[in-house]
Amino acid sequence: MKLDPFILIVTNKRDITVDFVVLEIQKRGLRYFRLNTEDITKYKIRMEDGDPRNLILFSEETCISISQITSAYYRRPAFPLPSLRA
Protein backbone atom coordinates (compact mmCIF):
# COMPACT_ATOMS: atom_id res chain seq x y z
CA MET A 1 0.00 0.00 0.00
CA LYS A 2 1.48 3.32 -1.08
CA LEU A 3 0.84 6.31 1.18
CA ASP A 4 0.20 9.78 -0.18
CA PRO A 5 3.17 12.02 0.56
CA PHE A 6 2.90 13.76 3.93
CA ILE A 7 5.88 15.85 5.00
CA LEU A 8 6.73 16.78 8.57
CA ILE A 9 8.75 20.01 8.76
CA VAL A 10 10.44 20.73 12.08
CA THR A 11 11.93 24.21 12.41
CA ASN A 12 11.27 27.50 14.20
CA LYS A 13 9.20 30.61 13.52
CA ARG A 14 12.21 32.67 12.42
CA ASP A 15 13.12 30.26 9.62
CA ILE A 16 12.08 32.19 6.54
CA THR A 17 13.89 29.71 4.28
CA VAL A 18 11.31 27.07 5.19
CA ASP A 19 8.59 29.54 4.18
CA PHE A 20 9.86 29.13 0.60
CA VAL A 21 9.98 25.34 0.96
CA VAL A 22 6.35 25.41 2.17
CA LEU A 23 5.32 27.53 -0.84
CA GLU A 24 6.81 24.91 -3.17
CA ILE A 25 5.12 22.08 -1.28
CA GLN A 26 1.79 23.91 -1.55
CA LYS A 27 2.35 24.55 -5.25
CA ARG A 28 2.83 20.81 -5.75
CA GLY A 29 -0.34 20.03 -3.80
CA LEU A 30 1.42 17.94 -1.16
CA ARG A 31 0.31 17.53 2.42
CA TYR A 32 2.60 18.83 5.14
CA PHE A 33 2.71 19.86 8.76
CA ARG A 34 5.08 22.54 10.02
CA LEU A 35 6.07 22.08 13.65
CA ASN A 36 7.78 25.14 15.06
CA THR A 37 9.77 24.09 18.10
CA GLU A 38 8.63 27.17 20.04
CA ASP A 39 5.11 25.73 19.90
CA ILE A 40 5.93 22.21 21.08
CA THR A 41 4.25 22.80 24.46
CA LYS A 42 0.92 23.37 22.68
CA TYR A 43 0.85 19.69 21.69
CA LYS A 44 0.24 16.46 23.52
CA ILE A 45 1.58 13.08 22.54
CA ARG A 46 -0.31 9.83 22.79
CA MET A 47 0.98 6.36 21.98
CA GLU A 48 -1.74 3.82 21.38
CA ASP A 49 -1.05 0.43 22.98
CA GLY A 50 2.53 1.49 23.81
CA ASP A 51 3.48 0.99 20.14
CA PRO A 52 5.70 3.78 18.71
CA ARG A 53 4.12 3.23 15.29
CA ASN A 54 0.88 4.50 16.84
CA LEU A 55 2.36 7.78 18.09
CA ILE A 56 -0.07 10.70 17.75
CA LEU A 57 0.77 14.40 18.09
CA PHE A 58 -2.35 16.45 18.75
CA SER A 59 -3.67 19.82 19.83
CA GLU A 60 -7.01 21.58 19.64
CA GLU A 61 -6.29 22.45 15.98
CA THR A 62 -4.63 19.32 14.62
CA CYS A 63 -3.99 15.61 15.00
CA ILE A 64 -1.04 13.94 13.27
CA SER A 65 -0.28 10.24 13.38
CA ILE A 66 3.36 9.30 12.84
CA SER A 67 2.16 6.51 10.57
CA GLN A 68 0.93 9.19 8.11
CA ILE A 69 4.35 10.83 7.74
CA THR A 70 6.28 9.74 4.68
CA SER A 71 9.21 12.14 5.01
CA ALA A 72 10.64 14.69 7.43
CA TYR A 73 12.67 17.86 7.04
CA TYR A 74 14.50 19.12 10.11
CA ARG A 75 16.04 22.56 10.02
CA ARG A 76 17.07 24.51 13.08
CA PRO A 77 18.82 27.69 12.00
CA ALA A 78 20.40 29.70 14.76
CA PHE A 79 22.97 32.40 15.15
CA PRO A 80 26.39 31.08 16.13
CA LEU A 81 27.13 31.43 19.80
CA PRO A 82 30.30 33.30 20.73
CA SER A 83 33.15 31.12 21.86
CA LEU A 84 33.79 31.09 25.59
CA ARG A 85 37.48 30.38 25.01
CA ALA A 86 39.95 33.24 25.30
Side-chain angles (χ1 to χ4, degrees):
M1 178 174 97
K2 185 177 178 188
L3 295 174
D4 289 333
F6 186 39
I7 305 163
L8 171 65
I9 302 170
V10 181
T11 188
N12 62 44
K13 292 178 182 178
R14 296 182 322 238
D15 188 359
I16 59 171
T17 300
V18 164
D19 295 342
F20 293 104
V21 172
V22 166
L23 286 173
E24 185 63 30
I25 289 170
Q26 290 172 337
K27 197 167 29 171
R28 294 177 185 211
L30 301 173
R31 295 184 315 146
Y32 72 95
F33 178 69
R34 179 175 177 162
L35 176 61
N36 291 314
T37 54
E38 302 93 333
D39 297 332
I40 196 74
T41 58
K42 294 180 182 177
Y43 297 93
K44 294 181 181 180
I45 297 174
R46 183 174 66 223
M47 191 176 351
E48 300 284 326
D49 302 322
D51 186 346
R53 293 173 295 180
N54 296 329
L55 189 77
I56 298 170
L57 178 71
F58 64 98
S59 69
E60 291 181 13
E61 295 89 31
T62 193
C63 181
I64 306 294
S65 170
I66 198 167
S67 63
Q68 296 173 301
I69 298 168
T70 57
S71 59
Y73 179 60
Y74 174 77
R75 181 176 153 82
R76 182 72 179 165
F79 293 106
L81 296 174
S83 175
L84 298 177
R85 296 183 185 187

